[in-house]
Amino acid sequence: MSLLKTIETNPSFAPRESSPLPDRLISGNPTFKTWAQDVARGEIVHTGVWEATPGETRSIKGETFEFCHILSGVVELTPENGEPVVYKSGDSFVMKPGFVGIWKTIETVRKIYVTVM
């Protein structure tokens, strides 16, 4: 097993398709695609590519740490009791454990993600 993993930003395999849980949906009709590409440390660390169509959802991280790098599109994140922050292609950010806020996909977004649970 190699300890080096390349993340395919345009994977050739079919994604897992989903939509937001009803209690998380705020507006629109967003759909999600996830191309899971690696799992490490016994299911603790997950890496892959995720895509969402426009809409607004509540983001609740719980105990999960998530690093995101935006490949394409535009999102606006508004932390609970905070100011909105816009991220676009080329931007990176972290949502730390306990993060609660609004995830608004303005233009269909594709990101690389690394989650640590």
Side-chain angles (χ1 to χ4, degrees):
M1 175 180 82
S2 175
L3 296 179
L4 179 63
K5 176 66 179 175
T6 299
I7 301 302
E8 310 258 345
T9 57
N10 291 301
S12 58
F13 60 93
R16 179 176 55 86
E17 298 190 34
S18 61
S19 55
L21 297 171
D23 62 333
R24 300 262 181 112
L25 180 63
I26 296 171
S27 68
N29 189 25
T31 58
F32 308 140
K33 293 180 181 178
T34 304
W35 292 269
Q37 297 188 38
D38 194 56
V39 177
R41 301 259 171 166
E43 297 288 323
I44 293 173
V45 180
H46 292 251
T47 307
V49 172
W50 182 84
E51 185 176 278
T53 59
E56 275 185 275
T57 58
R58 284 195 49 74
S59 180
I60 302 171
K61 288 287 114 186
E63 294 300 312
T64 301
F65 170 99
E66 182 173 1
F67 167 83
C68 302
H69 177 75
I70 305 295
L71 297 167
S72 61
V74 179
V75 296
E76 178 185 270
L77 295 181
T78 306
E80 194 169 61
N81 302 316
E83 296 297 316
V85 180
V86 173
Y87 295 104
K88 60 189 179 334
S89 180
D91 292 339
S92 300
F93 60 93
V94 169
M95 289 180 285
K96 294 182 180 182
F99 176 87
V100 174
I102 306 298
W103 176 289
K104 180 179 182 180
T105 301
I106 298 167
E107 294 175 10
T108 296
V109 69
R110 183 176 283 210
K111 69 177 184 176
I112 294 173
Y113 67 86
V114 178
T115 60
V116 181
M117 297 182 212

